[in-house]
Amino acid sequence: MQVLPVGDCVWEIPTTEKPGMLVPARIYASPELLGAMDAGVFEQVTNVACLPGIVRAALCMPDGHWGYGFPIGGVAAFRADTGVISPGGIGFDINCGMRLLRTSLTEDEVRPKLGALVDALFRAVPAGVGARGFVRLTEAAFADVMRQGAGWCVRHGYGWPEDLERTEGRGCLPGADPACVSERAIERGRQQLGTLGSGNHYLEIQVVRPGGIHDEALARALGIEGPGQVLIMLHCGSRGFGHQIGTDYLRAFVVAMRQYQITVRDRELACAPFRSPEGQRYFAAMTAAANTAFANRQVITHRVREVLAEVFGRDPHALGLSVVYDVCHNTAKLERHRIDGEERELLVHRKGATRAFGPGSGDLPAVYRDIGQPVIIGGSMETGSAVLVGTQRAMEETFGSTAHGAGRTMSRHEAKRRIGGRKLLAELEARGIVVRAASIAGVAEEAGIAYKDVRAVVDVLHRVGISRKVASLTPIGNIKG
């Protein structure tokens, strides 16, 4: 397949490379990252370029790797009036996202209590397959969570009002309808509020190392003050609830495609016209899952504050435990972007990709409107993570989108074959990284060698100009599913 350079770290596959492509496929990557991408990325991103109503280009970010339907790191925007919605372009863990909390603590203060802190967090935030949270919900209360998202949590004492201001969409996306959610999905999701789940989800204690601040003014605006500061990052989503919704509607869309005479190159891209009854029902269910994921991260935030207050004997406000930002990936959102000089309403799918709105965007909180939306890039538990901000170029070129993480380089099975979980835990502890995990095999799956170098991914985003580097964060404690 012909992949042509069209700019620094920007590559394009023309529409002539595959029958049915309506727009080019565009990949953001250094030559090294591009060369290491699996063949499935190129196959999948060009399949996406064939979907009805797609505009400009099918995009793949530098963390891109083979996924279900879309590649992980895939972005595509469809006309709201004539385009489609596809669960394969959103993902099963709907609104799997990142939240970053700052603290006023330093590593010198935390290090003597690190083991006790990680143990206490592991007890307070259930992790692993089938984990259940401490918030007990009736079906009626769970329906309220689906509609209200993180706001439900704050109103019930699981957060601070200012948390909502620093959450994408104030932690509640419009359009959720619990009536569009199956009983099986409700059964799976009702008891999971405040839990991490498994896989690559984590709750991590991080520190700013010397040299970790890349833009001092932007870092200060985000509450990141300098070397030695401790921050808390969490990565999780809608868990089994979102997975069941994705499963339910993929089945329904296989039938709907015949009705609407839609053909796709891969059954994993099953879709329906967005404005069709089927498309609207999935959008309403997907949004309900997204709101539940916001609520999940909000309850975990509440538990983190409780634990740190207990371990350090100080009120969470005194510890400076404020939200920097909460940003989602694995969503489809109605947004307005300019296409061929005209502003249009688009349904932007971000599959393992995150929003990166630039300065001046109306959806940003006032505190960040002049600098752009905070972007949180998760790495591995060995290598660390990154904080960036969105840019105007992202608004113009990628529908205000950027990468979401480091991106895998090998399957979970291969990682377990190569790496022993217990050995890795010992090596991490010797390096000063304390890990508690629900599954030893899960630790091996998430080893650093299973991921791309997060610094290489971030450098591409910065070079291309779709995100701007602010700070690098290094793990010292990790809770894994």
Side-chain angles (χ1 to χ4, degrees):
M1 194 172 290
Q2 191 176 37
V3 183
L4 305 174
V6 293
D8 182 29
C9 294
V10 185
W11 311 82
E12 200 160 275
I13 302 171
T15 56
T16 52
E17 288 302 293
K18 179 177 285 186
M21 285 179 68
L22 303 174
V23 294
R26 189 173 298 153
I27 300 170
Y28 296 87
S30 65
E32 294 77 17
L33 287 173
L34 184 78
M37 285 182 176
D38 48 277
V41 169
F42 306 100
E43 191 65 31
Q44 289 186 319
V45 74
T46 49
N47 287 344
V48 172
C50 301
L51 291 175
I54 191 169
V55 298
R56 190 181 292 156
L59 309 177
C60 184
M61 296 297 148
D63 54 341
H65 56 99
W66 179 84
Y68 185 98
F70 277 45
I72 308 298
V75 177
F78 301 87
R79 287 182 52 153
D81 55 352
T82 61
V84 297
I85 184 168
S86 174
I90 294 162
F92 286 102
D93 192 6
I94 296 164
N95 187 7
C96 180
M98 312 292 298
R99 178 173 285 209
L100 182 65
L101 307 175
R102 69 173 303 282
T103 80
S104 58
L105 294 164
T106 65
E107 184 178 7
D108 288 343
E109 294 174 283
V110 170
R111 183 61 73 175
K113 299 182 177 183
L114 182 59
L117 175 59
V118 173
D119 285 341
L121 288 170
F122 188 62
R123 289 192 298 269
V125 182
V129 176
R132 293 189 166 205
F134 79 100
V135 181
R136 293 291 178 256
L137 297 170
T138 63
E139 285 201 23
F142 189 45
D144 287 341
V145 171
M146 292 185 227
R147 296 187 194 96
Q148 300 169 22
W152 182 93
C153 303
V154 171
R155 283 187 286 276
H156 285 77
Y158 302 119
W160 305 342
E162 55 266 36
D163 295 343
L164 303 181
E165 182 70 14
R166 298 191 180 204
T167 301
E168 181 178 336
R170 294 184 60 84
C172 181
L173 305 185
D177 186 353
C180 297
V181 177
S182 71
E183 286 298 320
R184 175 61 179 145
I186 290 170
E187 180 186 334
R188 292 185 67 181
R190 187 158 59 90
Q191 305 302 334
Q192 293 189 328
L193 215 58
T195 63
L196 274 180
S198 58
N200 63 347
H201 299 143
Y202 59 81
L203 171 61
E204 193 162 84
I205 304 163
Q206 302 174 333
V207 66
V208 182
R209 295 288 186 213
I213 301 293
H214 310 301
D215 188 308
E216 290 187 5
L218 289 175
R220 280 195 303 272
L222 300 182
I224 302 173
E225 295 158 0
Q229 183 181 4
V230 169
L231 296 98
I232 311 288
M233 182 178 289
L234 62 100
H235 174 215
C236 64
S238 53
R239 303 207 51 224
F241 182 57
H243 195 287
Q244 188 63 48
I245 287 170
T247 300
D248 292 341
Y249 279 92
L250 274 166
R251 291 172 182 155
F253 281 9
V254 169
V255 176
M257 284 195 300
R258 292 197 292 269
Q259 178 184 342
Y260 295 107
Q261 298 182 332
I262 295 172
T263 58
V264 293
R265 298 188 67 92
D266 180 354
R267 284 174 59 88
E268 294 178 358
L269 291 174
C271 58
F274 176 61
R275 295 297 186 196
S276 69
E278 296 86 352
Q280 288 296 287
R281 283 198 295 271
Y282 171 61
F283 185 69
M286 182 272 299
T287 304
N291 290 342
T292 303
F294 280 130
N296 190 26
R297 294 195 289 275
Q298 185 62 52
V299 171
I300 293 174
T301 297
H302 172 75
R303 296 296 266 175
V304 168
R305 286 170 173 154
E306 287 185 328
V307 167
L308 266 75
E310 181 181 348
V311 170
F312 293 98
R314 290 153 63 187
D315 181 87
H317 287 92
L319 292 170
L321 268 165
S322 59
V323 174
V324 176
Y325 203 64
D326 181 305
V327 64
C328 48
H329 43 270
N330 291 9
T331 58
K333 297 181 69 178
L334 280 171
E335 298 171 358
R336 299 195 72 85
H337 294 277
R338 297 191 73 82
I339 300 294
D340 299 328
E342 181 180 349
E343 191 175 88
R344 289 190 176 276
E345 186 178 44
L346 305 174
L347 186 68
V348 183
H349 292 56
R350 297 184 177 98
K351 165 79 169 286
T354 192
R355 203 182 69 165
F357 278 12
S361 297
D363 191 48
L364 300 185
V367 67
Y368 296 144
R369 202 159 291 151
D370 291 339
I371 66 170
Q373 177 210 303
V375 170
I376 305 165
I377 305 284
S380 76
M381 60 187 170
E382 293 190 65
T383 58
S385 303
V387 182
L388 304 88
V389 291
T391 64
Q392 182 57 34
R393 182 163 183 188
M395 302 302 292
E396 295 167 356
E397 192 166 316
T398 64
F399 310 106
S401 307
T402 191
H404 85 305
R408 295 192 72 91
T409 58
M410 66 178 69
S411 69
R412 299 183 190 281
H413 175 78
E414 179 64 15
K416 286 188 290 187
R417 191 185 70 80
R418 292 196 193 185
I419 303 144
R422 295 187 189 281
K423 180 172 181 287
L424 179 59
L425 282 174
E427 290 173 353
L428 290 169
E429 190 139 6
R431 290 162 49 190
I433 304 172
V434 178
V435 178
R436 298 290 181 266
S439 161
I440 296 299
V443 172
E445 290 176 3
E446 296 302 308
I449 65 165
Y451 285 87
K452 301 178 187 182
D453 182 349
V454 69
R455 295 168 298 181
V457 170
V458 168
D459 283 347
V460 168
L461 303 174
H462 188 81
R463 281 170 62 182
V464 173
I466 57 175
S467 300
R468 185 174 174 186
K469 289 194 289 188
V470 177
S472 298
L473 308 176
T474 302
I476 60 173
N478 186 289
I479 289 87
K480 269 263 180 245

